[in-house]
Amino acid sequence: MQNQTIKGFRASFLDVIADPFYETEADCVRYFPDGLLVVEHGKVKDLGDYETLYPQYADIPITYYRDRLIVSGFIDTHIHFPQMEMIASYGEQLLEWLSTYTFPTERKFADRNYALEISSLFLNELLRNGTTTALVFTSVFLQSTDAFFEEAQRRNLRMIAGKVMMDRHAPDFLVDTAASSYLETKQLIEKWHKRDRLLYAVTPRFAITSTSEQLTNAGKLLAEFPDVYLHTHLSENVKEVETVAEFFPESEGYLDVYDRAGLVGSKSVFAHGVQLTDREFARLSEAKSAIAFCPTSNLFLGSGLFKLEKAKSSETPVKVGLGTDVGAGTSFSILRTASAAYQVAQLRSQKLSAFKALFLATLGGAIALSLDDKLGNFEIGKEADFIVLNLRSTPIMALRNKSSDQAIATTLAEISDQLFATIIMGDDRAIETTYIMGEKAEF
Ligand code: GUN
Ligand code: ZN
């Protein structure tokens, strides 16, 4: 369904235009209590104060979301689509959790039709939680990657995904080979990378399940296709880090295993990084790589507390986005994830402000995925993926975020306070509507 090419949305608007970890928060956010967003051909044409801007756009159709806050669509920098059905699997930490629950579940994705069915449920769940872009692990089966991309393409979504490469230390039914993973990945890159809004990530699962030969092949693919992503797990769990040291005795640590294979670059996204050393943070900073901080997963699997203050230090700044890491993560909601991030910060005697959390959920995620020229806020020309938030979606939130009359909040301090409460208490119920390229998403 193609709507008018130019249209407006009136509501309160909040976006993040610079990194509040390094600049004064007030300089990093824009807040329009009564704002107008103009979208043309699916992209942002204008954003400003309604009264000021309206005369210029008097003839366009305007949708009015009274008492609602519109923000940029959330970005999930690490999630597994085949693990949707095994979310909340009891009692294990990473390595046992993988063998007990994950591998048997991922086996089902050899069936293309099943993969299509779950892709659809998965994308519905992302959209109803306000996530408009994600970096996604599929499974080892090429047909599951195909299915995922097909479903994302049908919905005109900006998604990044890749076939999992894993050629050892997993059940026979779930492994490829160094050669087959190279060929299949190449085929998938040629088919899907930059097709409509889709992008490809070379996706070795982690160092334990790849031989050096497979990691080298992953590096070869990155050299052949320099603008594709690298997506893997890194230093999540203590036992995992010890196992990697055993398997790769010649390497100087976990990150170095990837580095030797040519996998550490500016389009590399590493999930977790809970156990990273200072030297590894410095190397990630130097390489301009990104970390997906997955707090609900790190708490659920007992992996540990990510050192966000270290990643966002001035000495060794590393790009960071939020990841749900479903099915180890416990929610599809980036609001729930940001709430967990706040709690992880508290356990490290750190503070994560509402605007910093919103940055991680939007522009920070876009920067981590090298998509900040296209996504992350309402700068002119960016893709109009956005969400309509109800800050009073439950009785307790209505009480907590009660406001005078119409506008949600008039000052930056007020919106910061209400956003904070929404992050701490909010979930999918706070997401009223999700827009993709200026069109209401159907799910
Ligand atoms: N490390 C290797 N595979 C996985 C996975 O599926 N989930 C998580 N959380 N960590 C991993
Ligand atoms: Zn993961």
Side-chain angles (χ1 to χ4, degrees), residues 299-333:
L299 295 170
F300 181 74
L301 291 183
S303 302
L305 305 174
F306 179 64
K307 296 172 187 158
L308 182 60
E309 78 286 359
K310 180 78 199 168
K312 299 299 291 183
S313 72
S314 303
E315 299 74 40
T316 55
V318 179
K319 297 185 278 185
V320 178
L322 291 176
T324 60
D325 193 31
V326 166
T330 53
S331 170
F332 272 74
S333 169

XYZ file of all heavy atoms in Angstrom, residues 299-333:
248
model
N 22.873 -11.330 32.379
C 22.330 -11.637 33.705
C 21.698 -13.026 33.700
O 21.910 -13.824 34.605
C 21.295 -10.574 34.110
C 21.863 -9.159 34.299
C 20.745 -8.136 34.451
C 22.800 -9.099 35.504
N 20.939 -13.331 32.650
C 20.222 -14.615 32.590
C 21.187 -15.797 32.593
O 20.967 -16.807 33.282
C 19.325 -14.660 31.343
C 18.540 -15.931 31.238
C 17.446 -16.144 32.079
C 18.876 -16.917 30.321
C 16.718 -17.326 32.003
C 18.150 -18.098 30.240
C 17.070 -18.304 31.083
N 22.264 -15.700 31.797
C 23.234 -16.812 31.728
C 24.313 -16.686 32.807
O 25.247 -17.488 32.843
C 23.895 -16.865 30.344
C 23.032 -17.284 29.153
C 23.867 -17.352 27.881
C 22.362 -18.639 29.381
N 24.199 -15.664 33.643
C 25.202 -15.478 34.703
C 26.582 -15.196 34.141
O 27.605 -15.558 34.731
N 26.631 -14.516 32.993
C 27.925 -14.305 32.331
C 28.755 -13.228 33.026
O 29.986 -13.316 33.056
C 27.702 -13.905 30.870
O 26.959 -14.909 30.206
N 28.092 -12.205 33.545
C 28.829 -11.143 34.239
C 28.314 -9.769 33.864
O 27.313 -9.628 33.161
N 29.031 -8.769 34.369
C 28.596 -7.374 34.229
C 29.505 -6.660 33.235
O 30.696 -6.481 33.484
C 28.662 -6.666 35.592
C 27.888 -7.348 36.732
C 28.150 -6.620 38.059
C 26.391 -7.381 36.432
N 28.943 -6.245 32.114
C 29.714 -5.554 31.079
C 30.221 -4.210 31.604
O 29.488 -3.469 32.261
C 28.829 -5.341 29.841
C 29.517 -4.608 28.735
C 30.621 -5.163 28.104
C 29.070 -3.361 28.326
C 31.257 -4.478 27.080
C 29.703 -2.677 27.298
C 30.803 -3.232 26.681
N 31.493 -3.915 31.255
C 32.096 -2.658 31.735
C 31.779 -1.533 30.746
O 32.637 -1.130 29.951
C 33.609 -2.834 31.854
C 34.021 -3.872 32.885
C 35.525 -4.126 32.809
C 35.924 -5.267 33.700
N 37.200 -5.892 33.299
N 30.574 -1.037 30.818
C 30.154 0.000 29.863
C 31.035 1.246 29.975
O 31.392 1.864 28.968
C 28.683 0.365 30.114
C 28.081 1.410 29.171
C 28.133 0.951 27.710
C 26.641 1.735 29.564
N 31.412 1.576 31.210
C 32.224 2.796 31.414
C 33.603 2.636 30.782
O 34.219 3.620 30.374
C 32.306 3.165 32.899
C 33.272 2.343 33.748
C 32.792 0.922 34.073
O 31.687 0.540 33.662
O 33.555 0.197 34.743
N 34.048 1.403 30.682
C 35.353 1.151 30.044
C 35.206 1.302 28.515
O 36.031 1.927 27.857
C 35.810 -0.267 30.421
C 37.118 -0.674 29.847
C 38.287 -0.073 30.602
C 39.535 -0.126 29.743
N 40.625 0.679 30.284
N 34.135 0.717 27.992
C 33.904 0.817 26.542
C 33.692 2.265 26.118
O 34.120 2.672 25.036
C 32.695 -0.025 26.151
N 33.048 3.038 26.966
C 32.743 4.425 26.608
C 33.746 5.403 27.233
O 33.417 6.579 27.436
C 31.313 4.773 27.040
C 30.221 3.929 26.389
C 30.156 4.039 24.872
C 29.697 5.368 24.368
N 29.588 5.408 22.874
N 34.945 4.925 27.528
C 35.966 5.815 28.094
C 36.525 6.722 27.001
O 36.412 6.417 25.812
C 37.107 4.991 28.697
O 37.866 4.398 27.663
N 37.129 7.816 27.394
C 37.740 8.712 26.408
C 39.051 8.137 25.887
O 39.448 8.422 24.760
C 38.033 10.074 27.033
O 36.864 10.598 27.550
N 39.718 7.315 26.716
C 41.027 6.775 26.319
C 40.881 5.731 25.220
O 41.619 5.759 24.232
C 41.744 6.134 27.523
C 42.047 7.079 28.679
C 40.811 7.450 29.497
O 39.974 6.558 29.744
O 40.665 8.642 29.856
N 39.950 4.799 25.405
C 39.785 3.735 24.397
C 38.298 3.612 24.034
O 37.653 2.614 24.354
C 40.308 2.378 24.926
O 39.652 2.078 26.169
C 41.807 2.398 25.133
N 37.770 4.619 23.372
C 36.327 4.570 23.064
C 35.987 3.458 22.076
O 36.656 3.303 21.056
C 36.056 5.948 22.449
C 37.371 6.418 21.940
C 38.411 5.834 22.843
N 34.962 2.714 22.424
C 34.491 1.627 21.549
C 33.014 1.893 21.244
O 32.261 2.306 22.120
C 34.651 0.249 22.242
C 34.134 -0.873 21.339
C 36.107 0.001 22.622
N 32.628 1.650 20.000
C 31.225 1.803 19.623
C 30.399 0.736 20.362
O 30.787 -0.436 20.393
C 31.056 1.618 18.112
C 31.805 2.670 17.288
C 31.516 2.541 15.797
C 32.361 1.490 15.148
N 32.184 1.419 13.677
N 29.274 1.152 20.936
C 28.429 0.208 21.684
C 26.974 0.390 21.287
O 26.485 1.524 21.209
C 28.547 0.423 23.221
C 27.615 -0.527 23.976
C 29.979 0.234 23.707
N 26.300 -0.728 21.047
C 24.848 -0.714 20.875
C 24.238 -1.690 21.866
O 24.958 -2.432 22.543
N 22.902 -1.685 21.976
C 22.230 -2.655 22.839
C 21.830 -3.874 22.025
O 21.394 -3.742 20.877
C 20.975 -2.042 23.465
C 21.178 -0.937 24.496
C 19.818 -0.380 24.922
C 21.952 -1.447 25.707
N 21.976 -5.038 22.623
C 21.499 -6.268 21.987
C 20.578 -6.997 22.945
O 20.833 -7.034 24.150
N 19.515 -7.567 22.411
C 18.654 -8.378 23.287
C 19.241 -9.769 23.463
O 19.045 -10.411 24.485
C 17.233 -8.524 22.714
O 17.326 -9.159 21.437
C 16.547 -7.178 22.584
N 19.935 -10.275 22.424
C 20.479 -11.641 22.435
C 19.436 -12.697 22.763
O 19.739 -13.710 23.388
C 21.687 -11.751 23.371
C 22.448 -13.051 23.167
O 22.459 -13.570 22.034
O 23.033 -13.573 24.150
N 18.191 -12.472 22.384
C 17.217 -13.571 22.457
C 17.766 -14.734 21.635
O 18.360 -14.512 20.577
C 15.861 -13.096 21.854
C 14.929 -14.275 21.587
C 15.217 -12.062 22.776
N 17.705 -16.006 22.095
C 17.076 -16.566 23.240
C 17.836 -16.619 24.545
O 17.249 -17.079 25.525
N 19.117 -16.166 24.651
C 19.712 -16.061 25.979
C 19.179 -14.815 26.670
O 19.023 -14.787 27.882
C 21.234 -16.020 25.886
N 18.907 -13.791 25.892
C 18.268 -12.600 26.437
C 16.830 -12.925 26.775
O 16.224 -13.828 26.197
N 16.271 -12.176 27.718
C 14.956 -12.556 28.229
C 13.800 -11.733 27.671
O 12.659 -11.927 28.076
C 14.942 -12.452 29.769
O 15.391 -11.149 30.143
C 15.870 -13.486 30.379
N 14.085 -10.824 26.753
C 13.004 -10.004 26.201
C 13.386 -9.453 24.835
O 14.544 -9.133 24.590
C 12.721 -8.839 27.153
O 11.853 -7.900 26.551
N 12.388 -9.306 23.976
C 12.602 -8.628 22.691
C 12.634 -7.111 22.855
O 12.967 -6.391 21.915
C 11.456 -8.949 21.716
C 11.671 -10.189 20.894
C 11.548 -11.443 21.460
C 11.983 -10.095 19.543
C 11.735 -12.588 20.697
C 12.177 -11.227 18.767
C 12.051 -12.484 19.351
N 12.243 -6.652 24.028
C 12.057 -5.210 24.214
C 13.375 -4.490 24.487
O 14.094 -4.818 25.439
C 11.099 -4.981 25.391
O 11.104 -3.619 25.756
